[in-house]
Amino acid sequence: GRNMQLTVHGDDFTIAGDAVHLRWLEEKVREKCDVKVEVLGPSAQEKCEVTIMNRRLRWTRHGIEYEADPRHAELHVEFMGLAKAKVAKTPGVKEEDGPRSRTPHKRQEDAEIPADEGEGENRKLEGLEVSRFRALVARANYLSLDRADIQFAVLQLCKQMSAPREKDLTKVKRLGRYLLKHPRKVWLYPYQSTPETLDVFTDSDWAGDRESRKSTSGGAIKYGEHTSRTWTRTQSTIALSRAEAELYAIVRGTVEGIGMAALLHDGGCPDTRVWLHTDASAALGIIDRKGAGRIRHVSTNALWLQEKAVKRLVTFRKVEGKLNPADLLTKHVEAELIDRHAAKLGLVDMDGRPSVAAQVR
């Protein structure tokens, strides 16, 4: 048989397989219709860089490189008029606690940012301002699918889409200053043997939303050295404790891990064990015990996780907080931590522009 994996998005087909099988398929398709074909591979007859859904893929001596369309970051900077602005080292800053305080907490690294980078007024945006805000955030949201370093900052901006305020527009500018400093982030997928485990990292920020007091769940899935998925989500339920918030984050990570393992199995990979890593000792204690105990309000989630642990469908492990890359996806962190967590996920900076990237017009 011919071993090929096919994904379809509208009239765009992406197929992975041996070169001889791909050529056979191309011949069969050309018998029925006209197609445009680009082949990514190491031989002289194949391209070392192609575009798929405006994403860039490169075949290198060390593996595959994948990155988002650079025009989104460039257009964000251009529309905000930030081409000559001072850069920001982080895409956002943490807001101080307090019912009336919405002032972002200033770090020493932000000293180079002009005063207008601080909190704006609570005046609601109107007319074209609202349209401009929504357009910028929508573009950033699309970019964040391929940029784990800005996912949390963009999530916070998306919460203000219905009624944005002037200070929210200031946060969009802050994101633009960060994109000015980091216009390109590239995912690295080095060559590797087939891994035996799927590593899922989860974290949460308890009551991190200063207005709703809802918590944020974040996570990442790695197949060996390859990051296959990242996410950041606002929890639908208000957690009453840090352990509860972490438990909800672990539930989400367990679901994602089991689903990814099933997808790998369907793709022909051998059965893969799921290891879930968290820095939450209290939540791990709940999973290790038998029964719900005194936490009846989260008993369903706790018992479901206990079942997965007993059946050995998922192995739960403790990881140090500073080594947990999911921390990047639940809160604003220092620039040093952004670089460290992103590097652990295989997301690195790169200079210049991709050779196949379209120009901004």
Side-chain angles (χ1 to χ4, degrees):
R2 296 177 175 87
N3 183 19
M4 293 179 284
Q5 284 77 42
L6 167 69
T7 59
V8 181
H9 188 280
D11 58 354
D12 292 314
F13 293 73
T14 305
I15 308 163
D18 293 336
V20 61
H21 297 159
L22 294 177
R23 285 194 293 269
W24 170 85
L25 180 62
E26 180 182 353
E27 292 174 359
K28 293 297 182 181
V29 173
R30 288 189 183 279
E31 292 176 1
K32 301 294 183 180
C33 55
D34 294 329
V35 293
K36 178 182 178 182
V37 177
E38 290 184 323
V39 180
L40 179 69
S43 70
Q45 295 77 27
E46 299 163 339
K47 294 186 176 181
C48 61
E49 185 170 356
V50 299
T51 300
I52 301 176
M53 299 298 298
N54 288 329
R55 275 81 168 178
R56 276 68 190 172
L57 273 77
R58 283 179 294 277
W59 191 295
T60 71
R61 291 184 299 127
H62 307 290
I64 303 296
E65 295 178 355
Y66 169 95
E67 69 172 303
D69 185 347
R71 291 179 297 175
H72 294 302
E74 294 166 355
L75 287 170
H76 189 108
V77 171
E78 179 182 324
F79 289 165
M80 293 298 295
L82 300 173
K84 297 182 179 180
K86 298 225 176 148
V87 299
K89 295 182 179 180
T90 61
V93 291
K94 182 179 180 180
E95 294 183 347
E96 295 178 351
D97 285 320
R100 294 181 179 274
S101 175
R102 295 292 182 269
T103 304
H105 174 68
K106 288 290 185 179
R107 303 188 181 100
Q108 183 177 0
E109 69 184 38
D110 298 324
E112 64 188 36
I113 304 300
D116 69 347
E117 187 63 38
E119 180 193 24
E121 299 176 356
N122 285 321
R123 179 185 68 85
K124 290 185 178 181
L125 302 183
E126 300 177 351
L128 292 177
E129 292 178 318
V130 176
S131 299
R132 183 189 187 197
F133 175 87
R134 290 172 177 167
L136 287 166
V137 174
R139 183 179 294 279
N141 190 35
Y142 187 78
L143 176 63
S144 70
L145 295 174
D146 304 308
R147 291 281 300 263
D149 56 322
I150 66 171
Q151 280 186 350
F152 177 74
V154 173
L155 173 65
Q156 305 311 303
L157 291 172
C158 288
K159 293 178 181 180
Q160 310 303 326
M161 289 280 269
S162 61
R165 295 159 292 184
E166 187 170 331
K167 61 184 178 183
D168 299 321
L169 190 59
T170 301
K171 294 176 183 178
V172 175
K173 182 186 292 187
R174 169 80 188 205
L175 176 62
R177 295 182 191 278
Y178 175 78
L179 294 176
L180 182 63
K181 180 176 177 61
H182 301 280
R184 292 181 66 192
K185 286 281 189 178
V186 178
W187 293 98
L188 304 181
Y189 295 92
Y191 300 122
Q192 64 178 12
S193 57
T194 303
E196 296 181 352
T197 62
L198 194 66
D199 294 287
V200 183
F201 296 87
T202 67
D203 192 23
S204 74
D205 182 32
W206 178 43
D209 191 305
R210 298 300 184 255
E211 296 183 1
S212 69
R213 283 305 176 185
K214 289 184 176 181
S215 306
T216 303
S217 296
I221 300 178
K222 294 195 68 178
Y223 187 50
E225 294 299 317
H226 300 171
T227 297
S228 58
R229 177 160 167 68
T230 62
W231 67 88
T232 176
R233 297 286 186 275
T234 300
Q235 295 180 3
S236 58
T237 302
I238 298 178
L240 302 182
S241 67
R242 190 180 304 277
E244 183 180 343
E246 292 285 1
L247 194 69
Y248 293 146
I250 292 173
V251 169
R252 176 60 187 266
T254 301
V255 171
E256 296 283 352
I258 293 175
M260 186 62 68
L263 183 63
L264 289 170
H265 183 270
D266 293 341
C269 295
D271 291 339
T272 306
R273 300 194 304 271
V274 178
W275 287 358
L276 189 140
H277 308 265
T278 178
D279 55 15
S281 298
L284 288 175
I286 295 172
I287 297 171
D288 289 338
R289 72 170 60 142
K290 291 184 178 180
R294 297 181 180 180
I295 54 169
R296 294 184 179 180
H297 59 294
V298 292
S299 60
T300 303
N301 289 314
L303 293 174
W304 184 77
L305 291 173
Q306 291 172 14
E307 178 188 35
K308 301 307 174 187
V310 170
K311 291 183 177 180
R312 297 184 179 180
L313 295 177
V314 180
T315 300
F316 299 94
R317 297 191 165 197
K318 180 75 165 63
V319 63
E320 291 185 46
K322 62 181 180 181
L323 300 178
N324 187 358
D327 185 50
L328 173 66
L329 301 157
T330 60
K331 61 183 75 70
H332 292 302
V333 297
E334 305 287 345
E336 180 182 355
L337 281 177
I338 293 178
D339 294 338
R340 181 194 304 170
H341 292 323
K344 185 174 180 63
L345 294 174
L347 184 64
V348 300
D349 283 289
M350 188 168 290
D351 298 327
R353 295 186 92 252
S355 61
V356 296
Q359 298 292 330
V360 174
R361 294 183 179 179

